Amino acid sequence: MTLTSPDPGTSPHRELAAPRPRGGVVQSVNDSLVIAKRNVIRLSRIPEMLIFGLIQPVMFVVLFSFVFGGSMMIGGSTSASDYRNFLMAGIFAQTVTFATAGAGAGIADDMHKGLIDRFRSLPMARGAVLTGRTLADLMQTALTMVVLAMVALLVGWRTHTSAGEVLAGFALLLLLGYAFSWIGALIGLSVRTPEAATSGGLIWLFPVTFISNAFVPTENMASWLQPIAEWNPFSATVQACRELFGNPGVSPSDAWPMVHPVWASLIWSALIILLFRTLSVRKYRGADG
């Protein structure tokens, strides 16, 4: 085997530099799918991550359904079954958004262990690492939603529309979860430890989910809180799912997102993905330099 020496005018540091990432949409998609597959395989080898992720939403379903169900008035009725049907869209939406904390913690953990630095040394699209991670989180969220829907059916939740509309409702939920996972990605890239990413990923989710129409009608809130809740992206998806599931609720306000919740949900999710994906990839590239 013959070794060739570098040209006299070539810096040895340049010979050791990381290969330039390959461009092109197809290559970026392939790289993203490879990273997604890696994270899905990792999840299958650590099943307790999925099990623990299921416990919290199941607890919320049981607690809200049987502890608070009889004391909540929905559309003039205090029926526990009516509140249960009203509640489930909010529980589904809360579940997909709370997955944000896990996404941020996973990326922060990869950063902490140096795995991201290894990916940077490969000739791959820079955004593929983050896209693959968020796609894997989306798959985990979809599996969680299937199990949660079965639990909801067991406690008495029912839909009253066609199968296509029900599937459209779940598609909106997954789109919202994917959008919020990019917020988690930015948080994971911005902190130093997985613990900080978990805390940072949860602290802002509580006001987003509770100042909304998820658990109580917005008309029961203080007057100054109602516009905030009605223009909350989370509320738009919840309201859209209630309409698509055919679940009982209250008459929507005159706020545009409540009158056109499906469109509002799509627009909000698209804007969140566009903004936070751009910021996350820029943050990733900045750390690369």
Side-chain angles (χ1 to χ4, degrees), residues 15-223:
E15 293 292 326
L16 298 175
R20 294 178 61 84
R22 293 170 290 185
V25 175
V26 174
Q27 185 61 50
S28 179
V29 171
N30 289 337
D31 292 343
S32 298
L33 292 177
V34 169
I35 298 296
K37 181 180 178 181
R38 172 255 173 191
N39 284 285
V40 170
I41 292 174
R42 178 173 177 267
L43 177 65
S44 67
R45 293 174 178 172
I46 314 176
E48 56 267 25
M49 291 177 60
L50 181 61
I51 294 172
F52 291 151
L54 284 169
I55 292 175
Q56 178 178 300
V58 170
M59 287 178 59
F60 270 109
V61 171
V62 175
L63 288 174
F64 276 87
S65 297
F66 296 103
V67 176
F68 302 111
S71 60
M72 296 291 184
M73 181 173 290
I74 302 298
S77 170
T78 57
S79 168
S81 61
D82 284 348
Y83 179 68
R84 194 174 298 120
N85 286 330
F86 171 87
L87 170 72
M88 283 314 305
I91 294 292
F92 288 142
Q94 184 191 53
T95 300
V96 300
T97 53
F98 269 46
T100 300
I107 291 176
D109 186 51
D110 287 344
M111 292 278 290
H112 185 67
K113 292 179 178 177
L115 184 61
I116 298 296
D117 291 330
R118 297 173 196 166
F119 284 141
R120 290 192 183 114
S121 68
L122 300 175
M124 62 191 304
R126 289 294 180 247
V129 174
L130 302 179
T131 302
R133 175 76 207 199
T134 54
L135 286 175
D137 291 331
L138 179 64
M139 296 178 193
Q140 180 180 352
T141 302
L143 181 58
T144 303
M145 293 294 290
V146 171
V147 176
L148 187 59
M150 290 190 292
V151 173
L153 290 171
L154 289 175
V155 299
W157 172 67
R158 296 294 182 268
T159 60
H160 304 89
T161 52
S162 66
E165 290 173 299
V166 172
L167 291 176
F170 281 109
L172 286 180
L173 288 166
L174 291 176
L175 180 62
L176 180 71
Y178 182 69
F180 274 50
S181 69
W182 281 105
I183 302 178
L186 182 61
I187 293 173
L189 290 168
S190 303
V191 299
R192 296 182 179 180
T193 64
E195 293 79 8
T198 301
S199 300
L202 287 174
I203 193 169
W204 62 275
L205 279 173
F206 282 100
V208 168
T209 54
F210 282 94
I211 305 178
S212 72
N213 60 354
F215 306 109
V216 296
T218 56
E219 65 182 16
N220 296 344
M221 298 180 180
S223 58

